[in-house]
Amino acid sequence: MSAIKVKAKLKGGVVSVKALAKHEMSTYNMAEKKTGDRENANFITHISATINGETVWDMSTSQFLSKNPIFKFDLKGIGASGDAIEMVAVDRKGNTLKGKGKIK
């Protein structure tokens, strides 16, 4: 099972992507309450999507996303039915989350 679930649908020339990243997303305040050290915070800092190896979506994030965040975005004129879409996220501690899907 992947750490990012990716679903993508093509309709009217627009690819609609919905992705669920399974991550705890602990903020600085949560880490300080739990461990006494703000540096133990761990949240997704960067996420990107590629279709057939080409980057089509790229985003930097912060601690203000919820636990197990859902990302939704549309791509116009990019991708076709059957193309592979891959998503990669990196958290504050350098861990990598990955997920794959096909455009339907």
Side-chain angles (χ1 to χ4, degrees), residues 11-12 30 33-35 59 63 69 72-73 79 81-83 86 90 97:
K11 185 175 181 181
M30 290 167 63
K33 284 180 185 177
K34 191 173 184 178
T35 66
M59 180 176 151
Q63 65 177 335
K72 294 180 184 179
F73 55 94
S81 184
D83 283 353
E86 295 183 34
V90 179
L97 308 171

Side-chain angles (χ1 to χ4, degrees), residues 18-65:
K18 185 176 180 180
L20 167 71
K22 293 187 177 186
H23 196 279
E24 191 175 301
M25 301 296 286
S26 62
T27 65
Y28 291 111
N29 290 342
M30 290 167 63
E32 188 172 28
K33 284 180 185 177
K34 191 173 184 178
T35 66
D37 187 4
R38 292 174 62 88
E39 291 304 309
N40 289 327
N42 191 24
F43 48 86
I44 294 173
T45 58
H46 187 262
I47 187 164
S48 63
T50 59
I51 295 179
N52 298 327
E54 181 182 340
T55 302
V56 294
W57 185 76
D58 194 54
M59 180 176 151
S60 293
T61 63
S62 70
Q63 65 177 335
F64 300 107
L65 293 174

